[in-house]
Amino acid sequence: NRNTVESLDYEVIENYAYREEQAQRGKLYVGYYVAVKWFLALLTGIGTGLAAVFINISVENFAGWKFALTFSIIQRSYFAGFVIYVLINLILVFSSVYIVTHFAPAAAGSGIPEIKGYLNGLDIHGILLFRTLIGKIFGSIGSVGGGLALGKEGPLVHTGACIASLLGQGGSSKYHLSLRWLQVFKSDRDRRDLVTCGCAAGVAAAFRAPVGGVLFALEEVTSWWRSQLMWRVFFTSAIVAVVVRTAMGWCKSGKCGHFGSGGFIIWDTSDGQEDYSFEELLPMAVIGVIGGLLGALFNQLTFHITYWRRNYLHKKGNRVKIIEACLISVITSAISFGLPLLRKCNPCPESDHDSGIECPRPPGMYGNYVNFYCGKDKEYNDLATIFFNTQDDAIRNLFSAKTIHEFSAQSLLTFLVMFYTLAVVTFGTAVPAGQFVPGIMIGSTYGRLVGMFVVNFYKKLNVEEGTYALLGAASFLGGSMRMTVSLCVIMVEITNNLKLLPLIMLVLLISKAVGDAFNEGFL
Amino acid sequence: NRNTVESLDYEVIENYAYREEQAQRGKLYVGYYVAVKWFLALLTGIGTGLAAVFINISVENFAGWKFALTFSIIQRSYFAGFVIYVLINLILVFSSVYIVTHFAPAAAGSGIPEIKGYLNGLDIHGILLFRTLIGKIFGSIGSVGGGLALGKEGPLVHTGACIASLLGQGGSSKYHLSLRWLQVFKSDRDRRDLVTCGCAAGVAAAFRAPVGGVLFALEEVTSWWRSQLMWRVFFTSAIVAVVVRTAMGWCKSGKCGHFGSGGFIIWDTSDGQEDYSFEELLPMAVIGVIGGLLGALFNQLTFHITYWRRNYLHKKGNRVKIIEACLISVITSAISFGLPLLRKCNPCPESDHDSGIECPRPPGMYGNYVNFYCGKDKEYNDLATIFFNTQDDAIRNLFSAKTIHEFSAQSLLTFLVMFYTLAVVTFGTAVPAGQFVPGIMIGSTYGRLVGMFVVNFYKKLNVEEGTYALLGAASFLGGSMRMTVSLCVIMVEITNNLKLLPLIMLVLLISKAVGDAFNEGFL
Ligand SMILES: Nc1ncnc2c1ncn2[C@@H]1O[C@H](COP(=O)(O)OP(=O)(O)OP(=O)(O)O)[C@@H](O)[C@H]1O
Ligand SMILES: Nc1ncnc2c1ncn2[C@@H]1O[C@H](COP(=O)(O)OP(=O)(O)OP(=O)(O)O)[C@@H](O)[C@H]1O
Ligand SMILES: [Mg+2]
Ligand SMILES: [Mg+2]
């Protein structure tokens, strides 16, 4: 296990030899070179888009199948359902951690810090290998499908970077997949530019946010930036958007199993709150402060735990890593199944035909008002609605409009505490793991809590709890990751709602300022 | 008339003296320094927001009053109406060009190239003076209110930069407005950072596009960029959004005269086309190509005319500049009044109560289907709808959905040729002049033309001509200015429509690529 860190050379030295070489090459060669650059950007976009579609389809199908099976079994026995649920999660998580530990150690974690390092000149061993790509893709399917408190978005950025890097090398020589005619990239700089495109493609694919992807690459990952590169990054993102849209269109006809309405996080809130009044700015500022505090705390806790893991626990070898991940999986399953059981069911609200939201939701569907361990027919379990669900669907429920009073404050608080703890503990295990979606989960929970108070306190009809959940999500991400412009654009793109942009900006400004008072942001 | 070009020094030299000085200053001083920085950013945001509101209210009131008067007079005599219309425009344009030539010569043009120069180290004389600010504000009210083929958005960027620069100096010493306690900025770099904030604020205010403003500052105007600055620019933009929104809310109750539904360009197309099919990509690509060609041609023509003006015409003194502007004003008025007169009126379409669009539009209102020189009551003049109107309203009509077949191809072509010529000729006169809105006008005209063909050819119901107009606008701006990401975000923000983002990206990619084949972009 080598652990060397090389450094990359991004400065083009314009010495005599370089200029000589440039002059010798004909115009034709330069044209070919530029064409290959753009062609590789195109391929990076297509590849990352397809990888994202593949991951999403797999995760949605594993998770959908898991929940369908569990729900059908608990009609007869809750205990059997529990066992099955725990087992499926365990198997998925085990396969993920096994792949990572035995096959692609560099695939653990989100990969964004490593890529950031790479783009700034730090060549960490193995982060852009073919096996890392494979490990990342299958590992994140296992860890996300297995219901751990982590996301698949960070790994997708790494995936995009791997695809770009491999394309830049003309394939992987180890697996005899190399293409000679693509090997025109001579310098580290060309490879880096392509990896930047890959990062942007990863974000664009993960959130279906093409502009967000460009800005992410611009703001977060690279400090080497030229207008010409921006342009190619923009192109790559646009390609991703087209590829993903095509795949989604193809899946609409039901060819992709459980993948359809869910999956591919777009939490459309465009039919939510139309306007806001000035009195609402105070609770929104409060959300910003909470986000800053909880985000900074999150960074602090994960920093210490990661330190401990790296220097103590993970030094003991792969077996410990596997046991750790499996243990966390069982605990996560037990909590997400067990806690809703302890919760009393609520009666369904008067059905409102305008909103089109059924209560309880029909079996085998996604949506609000989950009937779980309820006595009567017209009841739902609010904790199960967010906890016993995929994270994407839980967030959709938390963001949803026209569902005022769906959640009780007690359930939201319980969920917040439990999920926050799980997210802290899970971060750093040897599986591919992103921080975005768990962050959105945490944030939208306390956001919705604040929203409930606002609804009760201001007694106005045009306030939606979902809006506050969305702002909460922005505030937590702002408070832990400290991104600004790119996060703002990503939030707008994933919620398909421009009206809330000034509010998101406000909340991000506050949460970042509060967070910065405590520690450095991390991603 | 001095014409010196100084250069600015943005490199902080960390020599012994500098470090000595830094060390001597107490922590308190540094805190005060940072606080002043943020406070000045806040003031820049507020100032630019208010300036934008003031300009918009003035322009809308002048233009609204002008059109109301003309429409009431043409009930009796078209000739008297024509004379009044020409005279009002002439007076407005004359006051604009008089202010600029006799009081603030640096206020001519859009000011963006000068600011770009300033931010990259080129200190052109007088561009950030107090008199330039005043000249810019009142000059652009005159030139835009006077109906010339130019916009007020470019000048607003310059206005924002002026406000920022004056604040950074602690006021203007010449007019005894200086504030000593604000004069903590010692270096050119601090002043430059604030001017960058001012630019972003200008774009944010002009288009009501806060994120677009940040990206514009980032992509276009500055090549010195730090993450910390991004953060302050973002803050300034957010402030502008809040100020503008507050002012708009205050004006809603009718306190601002004609300013209300119109003004402050937001051409909301969110109720437009929902989806697009793959066959549509071909005409959209065609729009991109047209945009690249027409944009590059525009650059070429204005380049030559500006060259001629600078080296020959404008050397003859202020009197020639004034005569030139007045002449162009009279010609513009004559064309925009006269051409619709020659056009036969069309019968109103079957009224569609769903769309809520009346035909002809009620007198004294904004909107589609202008009744101008029509015989019968239920008729409208399609050329007057775009030509005899403010540019903002014309664009709103071109972008509008549910108005298929409102315009005839003949009218659109006439308008395209005339307006393109006017825009080329007007560019470079001695008045404050932006290129955005004229560009959008030109682009949306040919875009709508292509849209008409698509509607006829594909015979599908879900195609809206307004969508193509919007893409046309993006393509022309892409083809002439060659901005990418910021333009994309600005287009999305001003049309309040995220659904078209991938299409806008596609069109921009093509138009920029085509344009780049001919000449350099310019702004
Ligand atoms: N086709 C290529 N063109 C230009 N440079 C290449 C090419 N392939 C590899 N390189 C350079 O050679 C270096 C070593 O490549 P290597 O095969 O080690 O890949 P790697 O992804 O860096 O893996 P490792 O982690 O083992 O170092 C890389 O840093 C890269 O800059
Ligand atoms: N308060 C200040 N703090 C720091 N630098 C200042 C301040 N005021 C002026 N300067 C610097 O002094 C230079 C000269 O300022 P001046 O009064 O000429 O303003 P200006 O806007 O550049 O006008 P002109 O066009 O006449 O040069 C400016 O370039 C600026 O960098
Ligand atoms: Mg290497
Ligand atoms: Mg000067």
Side-chain angles (χ1 to χ4, degrees):
Chain A
N1 203 327
R2 262 194 315 160
N3 226 325
T4 44
V5 172
E6 294 165 51
S7 78
L8 299 160
D9 192 9
Y10 290 148
E11 211 59 65
V12 170
I13 297 149
E14 301 217 358
N15 58 10
Y16 184 75
Y18 177 80
R19 264 177 278 131
E20 185 95 320
E21 203 192 327
Q22 291 285 60
Q24 272 183 2
R25 292 176 187 169
K27 266 216 158 178
L28 207 72
Y29 181 80
V30 172
Y32 175 68
Y33 183 69
V34 171
V36 168
K37 267 188 180 177
W38 282 87
F39 182 65
L40 287 178
L42 174 80
L43 286 186
T44 303
I46 295 175
T48 311
L50 291 180
V53 170
F54 175 70
I55 292 176
N56 273 289
I57 290 181
S58 309
V59 166
E60 286 289 310
N61 274 308
F62 275 122
W65 174 76
K66 175 179 79 185
F67 281 112
L69 187 70
T70 311
F71 267 106
S72 81
I73 291 177
I74 58 175
Q75 304 300 328
R76 274 162 290 160
S77 157
Y78 272 85
F79 182 74
F82 176 71
V83 172
I84 291 291
Y85 178 72
V86 171
L87 273 182
I88 296 174
N89 278 342
L90 191 62
I91 292 168
L92 285 168
V93 171
F94 175 78
S95 56
S96 170
V97 69
Y98 189 84
I99 291 169
V100 168
T101 48
H102 285 79
F103 182 67
S110 87
I112 295 180
E114 286 86 354
I115 299 298
K116 259 170 112 163
Y118 173 80
L119 290 173
N120 289 294
L122 205 77
D123 188 13
I124 301 155
H125 175 67
I127 53 157
L128 295 173
L129 295 179
F130 186 68
R131 52 163 64 204
T132 307
L133 171 64
I134 298 299
K136 206 91 196 181
I137 292 177
F138 288 96
S140 63
I141 292 172
S143 62
V144 176
L148 290 182
L150 42 77
K152 57 192 181 300
E153 284 67 30
L156 249 171
V157 178
H158 193 167
T159 303
C162 283
I163 291 174
S165 169
L166 291 170
L167 286 170
Q169 298 180 22
S172 164
S173 51
K174 189 165 176 202
Y175 300 96
H176 307 288
L177 286 165
S178 55
L179 298 165
R180 294 236 109 228
W181 61 277
L182 277 178
Q183 294 181 3
V184 292
F185 281 12
K186 286 269 161 57
S187 69
D188 278 350
R189 181 197 274 230
D190 287 329
R191 215 178 157 206
R192 180 199 69 205
D193 285 355
L194 199 59
V195 171
T196 309
C197 290
C199 278
V203 175
F207 299 103
R208 297 184 65 193
V211 175
V214 176
L215 292 180
F216 179 83
L218 172 58
E219 187 182 2
E220 280 301 313
V221 296
T222 182
S223 40
W224 310 71
W225 192 265
R226 289 155 300 128
S227 165
Q228 221 257 309
L229 176 61
M230 178 125 151
W231 187 215
R232 202 151 71 240
V233 168
F234 191 72
F235 170 74
T236 316
S237 277
I239 295 296
V240 171
V242 172
V243 169
V244 169
R245 187 181 180 279
T246 313
M248 295 285 289
W250 190 75
C251 280
K252 242 182 205 155
S253 40
K255 288 182 193 127
C256 307
H258 286 273
F259 180 73
S261 60
F264 255 124
I265 44 165
I266 281 237
W267 301 295
D268 201 321
T269 62
S270 54
D271 57 350
Q273 195 169 332
E274 274 296 318
D275 209 355
Y276 54 92
S277 39
F278 271 88
E279 302 96 294
E280 288 183 59
L281 293 183
L282 182 70
M284 285 165 184
V286 170
I287 287 180
V289 174
I290 300 176
L293 293 174
L294 288 185
L297 179 68
F298 188 85
N299 291 1
Q300 208 66 39
L301 292 175
T302 49
F303 175 79
H304 287 300
I305 292 186
T306 308
Y307 186 85
W308 173 75
R309 270 211 180 92
R310 190 172 296 164
N311 292 303
Y312 177 73
L313 194 66
H314 285 183
K315 285 231 165 115
K316 297 195 177 171
N318 285 340
R319 190 180 297 240
V320 174
K321 290 185 189 172
I322 293 179
I323 293 173
E324 181 196 22
C326 291
L327 206 67
I328 291 177
S329 166
V330 172
I331 294 173
T332 308
S333 307
I335 290 178
S336 64
F337 192 101
L339 278 186
L341 285 186
L342 299 175
R343 176 89 199 135
K344 235 180 59 213
C345 288
N346 292 324
C348 281
E350 309 264 299
S351 77
D352 174 7
H353 284 288
D354 286 351
S355 69
I357 297 169
E358 276 185 72
C359 175
R361 71 166 187 207
M365 296 285 286
Y366 307 98
N368 291 280
Y369 301 112
V370 173
N371 184 319
F372 183 76
Y373 205 58
C374 296
K376 272 171 260 149
D377 223 29
K378 280 267 158 210
E379 281 189 338
Y380 74 100
N381 187 325
D382 65 339
L383 194 54
T385 303
I386 40 180
F387 226 152
F388 193 62
N389 218 333
T390 62
Q391 292 179 36
D392 281 9
D393 287 321
I395 294 172
R396 194 165 292 115
N397 296 341
L398 285 168
F399 280 3
S400 63
K402 294 168 195 149
T403 50
I404 280 176
H405 306 306
E406 176 174 358
F407 302 103
S408 64
Q410 202 188 340
S411 292
L412 288 178
L413 259 178
T414 314
F415 178 74
L416 178 61
V417 173
M418 294 317 297
F419 194 84
Y420 193 92
T421 317
L422 284 176
V424 168
V425 172
T426 312
F427 181 85
T429 46
V431 289
Q435 295 306 301
F436 279 98
V437 170
I440 292 175
M441 283 285 263
I442 293 169
S444 52
T445 310
Y446 65 75
R448 186 120 189 167
L449 262 173
V450 175
M452 284 174 58
F453 283 107
V454 175
V455 167
N456 284 332
F457 192 71
Y458 287 105
K459 298 250 185 276
K460 263 187 257 137
L461 278 171
N462 64 343
V463 175
E464 284 285 355
E465 291 173 2
T467 308
Y468 286 81
L470 165 61
L471 294 176
S475 78
F476 189 79
L477 294 180
S480 66
M481 297 175 179
R482 316 278 160 84
M483 312 191 314
T484 51
V485 185
S486 51
L487 182 57
C488 193
V489 172
I490 290 174
M491 288 307 292
V492 167
E493 287 192 277
I494 57 179
T495 57
N496 194 19
N497 191 341
L498 267 168
K499 282 167 290 191
L500 302 177
L501 177 60
L503 299 179
I504 294 176
M505 290 175 93
L506 174 87
V507 161
L508 282 181
L509 277 163
I510 297 175
S511 67
K512 181 175 145 71
V514 170
D516 277 341
F518 293 96
N519 51 28
E520 288 254 299
F522 97 131
L523 192 69
Chain B
N1 204 329
R2 261 195 313 160
N3 228 324
T4 44
V5 172
E6 294 165 52
S7 79
L8 300 161
D9 192 9
Y10 291 147
E11 211 59 65
V12 170
I13 298 149
E14 302 216 359
N15 57 11
Y16 184 75
Y18 177 80
R19 264 178 278 131
E20 185 94 319
E21 202 194 326
Q22 291 284 61
Q24 272 182 2
R25 294 177 186 169
K27 265 216 159 176
L28 208 71
Y29 181 81
V30 172
Y32 175 69
Y33 184 70
V34 170
V36 168
K37 266 188 181 176
W38 282 85
F39 182 66
L40 288 178
L42 174 78
L43 287 186
T44 303
I46 294 176
T48 311
L50 292 180
V53 171
F54 174 72
I55 293 176
N56 273 289
I57 290 180
S58 308
V59 165
E60 285 289 310
N61 274 308
F62 275 122
W65 176 75
K66 175 179 80 185
F67 281 112
L69 188 70
T70 311
F71 266 106
S72 80
I73 290 177
I74 57 175
Q75 304 301 327
R76 274 161 289 159
S77 157
Y78 272 85
F79 182 73
F82 175 71
V83 172
I84 291 290
Y85 178 72
V86 171
L87 272 181
I88 297 174
N89 278 341
L90 190 61
I91 291 169
L92 285 168
V93 171
F94 176 77
S95 55
S96 170
V97 69
Y98 190 83
I99 292 170
V100 168
T101 48
H102 285 78
F103 182 69
S110 86
I112 295 179
E114 285 86 354
I115 300 297
K116 259 169 114 164
Y118 174 80
L119 290 173
N120 289 294
L122 206 76
D123 188 12
I124 300 154
H125 173 66
I127 53 157
L128 294 173
L129 296 179
F130 185 69
R131 54 163 62 206
T132 307
L133 171 64
I134 299 299
K136 206 92 198 182
I137 291 178
F138 288 96
S140 63
I141 292 173
S143 63
V144 176
L148 291 182
L150 42 78
K152 56 192 180 300
E153 284 65 33
L156 251 172
V157 177
H158 192 168
T159 303
C162 283
I163 291 175
S165 169
L166 291 170
L167 286 170
Q169 299 180 19
S172 163
S173 51
K174 191 166 174 201
Y175 301 96
H176 306 289
L177 288 166
S178 55
L179 297 167
R180 292 236 111 229
W181 62 276
L182 278 178
Q183 294 181 1
V184 293
F185 281 13
K186 286 269 161 56
S187 69
D188 279 352
R189 180 198 274 231
D190 287 328
R191 216 178 157 208
R192 180 200 69 205
D193 285 356
L194 199 58
V195 171
T196 308
C197 290
C199 279
V203 174
F207 299 104
R208 297 185 64 193
V211 175
V214 176
L215 293 179
F216 179 83
L218 172 58
E219 187 181 1
E220 280 300 314
V221 294
T222 183
S223 41
W224 311 71
W225 193 263
R226 287 154 302 127
S227 164
Q228 220 256 309
L229 176 60
M230 178 126 152
W231 188 211
R232 203 152 70 241
V233 168
F234 190 72
F235 170 73
T236 316
S237 279
I239 296 296
V240 170
V242 172
V243 169
V244 169
R245 187 181 179 277
T246 312
M248 296 284 290
W250 190 76
C251 282
K252 242 182 206 157
S253 40
K255 290 182 192 125
C256 307
H258 285 273
F259 179 74
S261 60
F264 254 125
I265 43 165
I266 282 237
W267 301 293
D268 199 321
T269 62
S270 54
D271 57 349
Q273 194 168 335
E274 275 297 317
D275 209 355
Y276 54 92
S277 39
F278 271 88
E279 300 96 295
E280 288 183 60
L281 293 183
L282 181 70
M284 286 165 184
V286 170
I287 287 180
V289 173
I290 300 176
L293 293 176
L294 287 185
L297 179 67
F298 188 86
N299 291 1
Q300 207 67 40
L301 291 175
T302 50
F303 176 78
H304 286 302
I305 292 186
T306 307
Y307 185 84
W308 173 73
R309 270 212 180 92
R310 191 173 294 163
N311 291 302
Y312 175 73
L313 195 65
H314 285 184
K315 284 231 165 117
K316 297 195 177 172
N318 284 339
R319 190 180 297 242
V320 173
K321 288 187 190 169
I322 293 180
I323 292 174
E324 182 196 22
C326 290
L327 206 69
I328 291 178
S329 165
V330 172
I331 294 172
T332 308
S333 307
I335 290 178
S336 63
F337 192 101
L339 278 187
L341 285 186
L342 300 175
R343 177 88 198 135
K344 235 179 60 211
C345 288
N346 292 325
C348 281
E350 309 264 299
S351 78
D352 175 6
H353 284 288
D354 287 350
S355 71
I357 297 170
E358 277 186 73
C359 175
R361 72 165 186 210
M365 296 286 287
Y366 307 98
N368 291 279
Y369 300 113
V370 173
N371 182 318
F372 183 77
Y373 205 59
C374 296
K376 271 172 259 152
D377 224 28
K378 281 266 157 210
E379 282 191 336
Y380 73 99
N381 186 324
D382 65 338
L383 194 52
T385 302
I386 39 180
F387 225 152
F388 193 62
N389 219 333
T390 62
Q391 291 179 34
D392 282 9
D393 287 321
I395 294 171
R396 194 164 294 114
N397 296 341
L398 286 168
F399 280 5
S400 63
K402 293 167 195 150
T403 50
I404 279 177
H405 305 308
E406 177 177 356
F407 303 102
S408 64
Q410 202 188 342
S411 292
L412 288 178
L413 258 179
T414 314
F415 179 75
L416 178 60
V417 172
M418 295 316 298
F419 195 84
Y420 193 92
T421 316
L422 284 176
V424 167
V425 173
T426 312
F427 181 86
T429 46
V431 289
Q435 295 306 302
F436 278 98
V437 170
I440 293 176
M441 283 285 263
I442 294 169
S444 52
T445 309
Y446 65 74
R448 185 120 189 166
L449 262 173
V450 175
M452 285 174 59
F453 284 106
V454 174
V455 167
N456 283 333
F457 193 73
Y458 287 106
K459 297 249 185 278
K460 263 188 257 136
L461 277 171
N462 64 344
V463 175
E464 284 286 355
E465 291 173 3
T467 307
Y468 286 81
L470 166 61
L471 294 176
S475 77
F476 188 78
L477 294 180
S480 65
M481 298 177 177
R482 316 279 160 82
M483 311 191 314
T484 50
V485 185
S486 51
L487 182 57
C488 192
V489 172
I490 290 174
M491 288 308 292
V492 167
E493 287 191 276
I494 56 178
T495 56
N496 194 20
N497 192 339
L498 268 165
K499 282 168 291 193
L500 303 177
L501 178 61
L503 298 180
I504 293 176
M505 291 175 92
L506 173 86
V507 162
L508 282 181
L509 278 163
I510 296 174
S511 68
K512 181 174 145 70
V514 170
D516 276 341
F518 292 96
N519 51 28
E520 288 254 299
F522 97 133
L523 192 69

